Amino acid sequence: MQTHKYDTVIVGAGGAGMRAALESSKRSRTAVLTKLYPTRSHTGAAQGGMCAALANVEEDNWEWHTFDTVKGGDYLTDQDAAEIMCKEAIDAVLDLEKMGLPFSRTPEGRIDQRRFGGHTRDHGKAAVRRSCYAADRTGHMILQTLFQNCVKQNVEFYNEFYVLDLLLAEDEAGNKSTSGVVAYELATGEIHVFQAKSVIFATGGFGKVFKTTSNAHTLTGDGMGIAWRRGLPLEDMEFYQFHPTGLAGLGILLTEGARGEGGILRNADGERFMERYAPTIKDLAPRDIVARSMVLEVLEGRGAGPNKDYVYLDLTHLPAEQIEEKLPDITEFARTYLGVEPTTELVPVYPTAHYAMGGIPTNVEAEVLSDNTTVVPGLYAAGEVACVSVHGSNRLGTNSLLDINVFGRRAGIAAAEYATTHDFVELPEAPETTVVELIERLRDSSGTERVGAIRAEMQETMDANAGVYRTEETLKQALADIKGLQKRYLDVSIQDKGKRYNTDLLEAIELGFLLDLAEVLVVGAQNRKESRGGHAREDFQARDDENYMKHTMAYREVDAKGEHSIRLGYKPVVVTRYQPMERKY
Amino acid sequence: MTAVVEETAPGTGHGSTAAERDHTPIVITLRIRRFNPETDAEPYWQDFKVEADPTERILTAMMKIKAEQDGSLTFRRSCAHGICGSDAMRINGRNRLACKTLVKDLDMAKPITVEAIKGLKLEKDLVVDMDPFMQAYKDVMPFLITSGNEPTRERLQSPEDRERFDDTTKCILCAACTTSCPVFWSDGQYFGPAAIVNAHRFIFDSRDEGAEERLEILNEKEGVWRCRTTFNCTEACPRGIEVTKAIQEVKRALIFRRV
Ligand SMILES: Cc1cc2nc3c(=O)[nH]c(=O)nc-3n(C[C@H](O)[C@H](O)[C@H](O)COP(=O)(O)OP(=O)(O)OC[C@H]3O[C@@H](n4cnc5c(N)ncnc54)[C@H](O)[C@@H]3O)c2cc1C
Ligand code: SF4
Ligand code: FES
C-alpha cells in the first residue's frame, strides 16, 4: 500500500474533472485520479454542441437561455443555478476558444451556432441558433482541448487508478468532513491512499444500468455509488433521460444536431409525426417529449422495420455537402454499424438511455450536501455525477457540456480555495480497510454467480420496466428483479485472481455500484406518482405540482442487523423568476 | 417529399437496408494471443469459439468471451463506437479498433487472429504500455501557443483557415498508426505518426504562434525525417485521417522555412 498527500484530489478526468484541474492546479497541489486515460473519457463522445447565448448569428440572450433551461426541466430546475449557468455560458465558450478549441466558424470567422432541441427565442416563440459546435465532435474537441491545456500546465494525472472509497471523518455530533480517497491501481493491483484537504468527484454518469444506451461501458456510476455507500444522499435519481435518436437496436447516438440541421423524424407511413405532438418546434422539441412520441408511434403500430419497432431519421432532403461537413461522424456511425447511407436512405432510430439528471446533491459552489442544506466540508462534485440541479427533470441538449465547464471550473476554484485555507483532516485508522475487504471478498469467492449474467439481467429489466414509460406494475417488477440480483451478487466470483490489469475484478466492483444505483432509480420512480420531464408514468400522466414539485432525496439506511434500506425525503425547488406553466412546444 | 414518403413503406426502398441485413448468428473462432506476465514465460495463442451476429463488432465477441468463457481475458474498451481510442488491436494482421471492425468484414470461415499492437511493451493479453506513446505526443507541445494580450471575444478564424487543419483535429490517440509503422518498430525513439499528426493540428492553425518551436523539435534526429512514407499509418487510422499527407505537409513546412 502507498500513501500520498495532496491539497486537492480530483476523481475523474472527463470534461468536468479536467476543467476543475485547470483551476485547482494553479492554486493548490492537485492530483487527478482517473480510471481511464483522460482522453478516453466519455465527454469525447458528445457530438452536437454547447449552448451559450453568444448571439453570433441571431439575437439571443442568457435570460432566454435560462427560461428554456427551466421550462425544459419541467420546472424542477433550480432557477438560481440555471441562471448562473446560462450567464457564465458565454465566458465558458470563449474560454475554450482561447484555450484553442477549433469551433466551426461563420463566414465572418466567429464561432458558428446552430439550433438544438428546446432552445428558443424569446420564451418559446421559435427555435434559436444557440449551440456552439465543432462539426459533430464538439465533445471530442472539448476533451482534447482541456487535456492539451492540462499538458501545458503540467497537471499531475494518475491514469488507470480506480477510486473505490471516499474517506470521511466524523465528529461526535456526526458532522462529516473530507480526508481523502482510496484507489486501486489497475496495472499493479496495489492500493493507494490519497490524503487530501479537498476532493472533487467528477466521475460521470451510470448509463450502464440500461441495456440500450449511448453511454460507454465504463459509465458505471462509481462516484455516486461510493458517496451512497458512505451515507451521502442522491438526488432525483428517477429522472433519467432517453435520447430520441439512438441507432435502432444498438443505442449508439446520433446527435440532435442532425435535427438542428434540418433532419426530420418519420414513422412507417412516412409521416412527420412530431407535427402532431409539438406543432411549433416539431422535431426540435425537448428530448423527453420526442422520445415519448416515438414510443407512442411504435406502440400504436406505426413503427417501421420488420418488427415495427423503430422510426426513421430522415436526412435525405439535406444537401450531401451539408451532411458531410456538419455531421460527418454520425453519418459514418450509420454506415459502419447499420449499413445505411444517410444521404440517400432513412436511418432507423429509437430512444437510447443517455443522461442522468440526478446525482450527488451540490449547491452552486459545487459543494456536496449531506442533506437539504448541510455542506460536507472539503467535498465537491461536478458534471454528470452531480445534481446542482440545473437540468431539473429533463436536460436540454448542449446543456451538459455547458454544465461540466461552468461547474467544473467552479468546483476547481472552490476546492483549491478550501484547501489553501484549511488543514488536513486526520485519516481514519487503516483507511484502506473497506476497499481491501471488497477486493478480497470478490477474489476469494468461490460462488457460482457470474458478473456477465447478472449485469445482462439487470440491464434487461431496466430497459423493459424502468424505461421511457413506467407504471406501478413495471416498477414493482424491476425492483423485485434488482433485489434478486443483489442477492445473487453476493455469490459472485471472478476467474482472474491475479494482480496485474485485473479487469475481471473491476467489472465485478462496477456491477456492485450499478445494482445499488438501479435500486435507487426504481424506488424514486415508484414513489413519484406523476409524470414530469424524463419520468413518465402511464398510470399518472399529468404533472402534479401540488404534490411533486420538489426534488427527491434518497438516503441509504442501515439497520442494526446490517440490512440496508432506502429512505426518501424531499428538497424544495428554488424558484426565482419563472412560475410553473403548462409545457407546450 | 411525397416521393420519399411512399418509398418508406416497410421492406421497400429507403430504410430497408438495415432490415434486410443478415442477422443469423454463426459460430466464429477468435484466435487470441494471450500473455499474463504473472504466470506465462511467453505469449501463446488460444482459440475461442463464440456465437456472433455477422453485423456484430469484434469487441462485442470479445466481451462475450470474457463474460461467458474466460474472465481473465484482458483488453481495454470504453465507448464501443470508435471515439475513445481504447481498443486498437492487431486483427487479422492489421491494426484496427475492435469496436469498429464488424465480423462480416473479415473472413468468418477462418479463425480471426487478435493480438496486441506492436512496438509498445506488452503488459497483459491485449494491453500494452501506452505511456511512451503519450510521452511522444506531449513532446511536440500539443497545445495552442499565443503571445500578446487575449482578445475579449473569440479569436477570429475564417472557415477556410479552420478547414486547413480539420483532418488532424479528429485524432483520438488510439496509436493504431504509430504501432503499424516499421520505423517505430525498429526505433522506439521515433516520435511516430500520431505525435506528428498532433503537431500538424497546431502548426497549421492560423491562431497558433508556436510553429517554429514545434518544427524545430520535429526536425531532430528522431523527428519527421525518419518517416519513409510507407502509408501503413494512413491505412490503419480508424478516423480516416490522411496521416502520411499530414507528415508530408510538416516536412514541406520545414523545407520552406529553411530554404
Ligand atoms: C454520445 C453522447 C453524446 C453527447 N452529446 C452531448 C452534446 O452534444 N452536448 C451536451 O451538452 N452533452 C452531450 N452529452 C452529455 C455529456 O457529454 C456528458 O454528460 C458529459 O460529457 C459528462 O462529463 P463528465 O466530465 O461529468 O464525465 P465523463 O466525461 O464521463 O468522465 C468521467 C471520468 O471519471 C472517471 N472515473 C469514473 N469512475 C472512476 C473511478 N471509480 N475512479 C477514477 N476515475 C473514475 C473516468 O475515467 C472519466 O475520466 C452526450 C453524451 C453522450 C453519451
Ligand atoms: S492519427 Fe489516427 S491512427 Fe493515429 S492515433 Fe490518431 S486516430 Fe489513431
Ligand atoms: S472502445 Fe472506444 S474506440 Fe473502441
Side-chain angles (χ1 to χ4, degrees), chain A residues 317-362:
Chain A
H317 55 289
L318 301 178
E321 313 81 71
Q322 183 188 351
I323 298 179
E324 293 295 344
E325 188 195 324
K326 300 287 177 67
L327 306 165
D329 278 9
I330 61 155
T331 322
E332 197 194 310
F333 297 155
R335 285 180 193 135
T336 306
Y337 298 109
L338 282 187
V340 170
E341 175 49 54
T343 53
T344 55
E345 291 175 298
L346 305 179
V347 186
V349 290
Y350 202 66
T352 181
H354 186 57
Y355 183 84
M357 268 74 73
I360 301 175
T362 72

Side-chain angles (χ1 to χ4, degrees), chain A residues 12-65:
Chain A
M18 289 204 284
R19 189 67 190 79
L22 287 175
E23 299 302 331
S24 76
S25 65
K26 276 193 259 184
R27 299 169 169 88
S28 66
R29 198 163 161 263
T30 299
V32 183
L33 278 48
T34 170
K35 72 178 184 182
L36 304 172
Y37 273 90
T39 57
R40 315 286 184 230
S41 306
H42 211 54
T43 291
Q47 303 166 355
M50 165 167 169
C51 265
L54 296 183
N56 274 2
V57 290
E58 62 179 304
E59 188 190 353
D60 198 7
N61 64 61
W62 62 257
E63 191 273 317
W64 294 352
H65 187 182

Side-chain angles (χ1 to χ4, degrees), chain B residues 37-216:
Chain B
E38 290 177 84
T39 50
D40 309 327
E42 286 290 323
Y44 62 96
W45 292 94
Q46 186 178 6
D47 283 5
F48 293 94
K49 286 201 182 335
V50 59
E51 202 169 88
D53 172 335
T55 65
E56 196 167 282
R57 293 158 258 191
I58 293 296
L59 180 65
T60 313
M62 293 179 64
M63 290 180 51
K64 245 188 258 173
I65 294 171
K66 187 173 176 70
E68 293 162 11
Q69 301 182 36
D70 185 351
S72 74
L73 180 63
T74 305
F75 47 92
R76 294 187 174 106
R77 87 283 180 269
S78 185
C79 73
H81 65 284
I83 50 90
C84 78
S86 295
D87 60 341
M89 302 174 190
R90 227 169 131 77
I91 300 171
N92 279 357
R94 252 190 64 192
N95 279 3
R96 335 176 197 227
L97 297 177
C99 67
K100 253 191 130 171
T101 309
L102 304 191
V103 171
K104 69 176 175 54
D105 297 333
L106 303 168
D107 183 350
M108 298 183 278
K110 290 201 194 127
I112 295 166
T113 63
V114 180
E115 58 192 307
I117 46 178
K118 295 209 299 190
L120 293 167
K121 182 172 166 261
L122 183 60
E123 296 283 0
K124 185 177 176 183
D125 292 349
L126 298 149
V127 174
V128 297
D129 177 9
M130 293 295 286
D131 286 345
F133 172 81
M134 289 295 181
Q135 192 54 51
Y137 165 78
K138 290 176 188 163
D139 286 344
V140 301
M141 303 199 296
F143 38 77
L144 193 74
I145 298 175
T146 57
S147 60
N149 289 339
E150 293 218 318
T152 40
R153 291 286 296 196
E154 70 262 48
R155 292 192 180 79
L156 298 183
Q157 180 169 57
S158 71
E160 297 69 41
D161 283 344
R162 167 67 180 75
E163 183 56 28
R164 184 71 191 82
F165 64 102
D166 187 64
D167 202 32
T168 45
T169 64
K170 295 178 191 154
C171 176
I172 54 172
L173 298 170
C174 70
C177 54
T178 297
T179 60
S180 69
C181 172
V183 180
F184 180 76
W185 293 339
S186 64
D187 175 6
Q189 298 296 311
Y190 170 45
F191 277 112
I196 304 175
V197 160
N198 284 282
H200 178 284
R201 179 250 170 274
F202 288 100
I203 292 171
F204 293 93
D205 185 334
S206 58
R207 300 169 297 173
D208 183 80
E209 297 166 34
E212 222 38 78
E213 262 174 283
R214 272 187 216 100
L215 285 169
E216 254 345 287

Side-chain angles (χ1 to χ4, degrees), chain A residues 14 147 238 266 345 365 452:
Chain A
F147 182 60
E238 64 271 31
R266 298 186 185 282
E345 291 175 298
E365 308 305 333

Side-chain angles (χ1 to χ4, degrees), chain A residues 213-360:
Chain A
T213 172
S214 65
N215 280 202
H217 289 296
T218 46
L219 287 175
T220 49
D222 307 2
M224 296 179 203
I226 291 167
W228 177 246
R229 290 180 188 178
R230 279 288 167 202
L232 295 174
L234 293 173
E235 182 174 349
D236 287 343
M237 294 292 280
E238 64 271 31
F239 294 106
Y240 201 91
Q241 178 168 79
F242 297 85
H243 191 295
T245 52
L247 284 181
L250 296 173
I252 296 172
L253 194 81
L254 302 183
T255 174
E256 199 170 284
R259 280 170 285 137
E261 293 290 342
I264 290 170
L265 291 167
R266 298 186 185 282
N267 60 22
D269 309 324
E271 185 206 3
R272 182 180 193 178
F273 57 85
M274 280 314 297
E275 279 175 341
R276 272 187 278 120
Y277 299 96
T280 311
I281 54 176
K282 306 182 180 80
D283 300 275
L284 285 174
R287 291 175 178 170
D288 55 334
I289 295 176
V290 180
R292 284 198 295 276
S293 309
M294 290 166 70
V295 173
L296 285 180
E297 289 301 299
V298 165
L299 290 177
E300 287 168 12
R302 292 185 294 277
N307 304 318
K308 293 174 155 294
D309 58 357
Y310 53 73
V311 301
Y312 291 123
L313 175 65
D314 182 2
L315 301 173
T316 58
H317 55 289
L318 301 178
E321 313 81 71
Q322 183 188 351
I323 298 179
E324 293 295 344
E325 188 195 324
K326 300 287 177 67
L327 306 165
D329 278 9
I330 61 155
T331 322
E332 197 194 310
F333 297 155
R335 285 180 193 135
T336 306
Y337 298 109
L338 282 187
V340 170
E341 175 49 54
T343 53
T344 55
E345 291 175 298
L346 305 179
V347 186
V349 290
Y350 202 66
T352 181
H354 186 57
Y355 183 84
M357 268 74 73
I360 301 175

Side-chain angles (χ1 to χ4, degrees), chain A residues 69-91:
Chain A
T69 301
V70 170
K71 181 179 171 191
D74 220 349
Y75 296 92
L76 201 71
T77 310
D78 284 331
Q79 299 185 7
D80 55 340
E83 183 168 320
I84 287 174
M85 181 175 79
C86 297
K87 249 193 223 169
E88 293 184 8
I90 296 165
D91 277 337

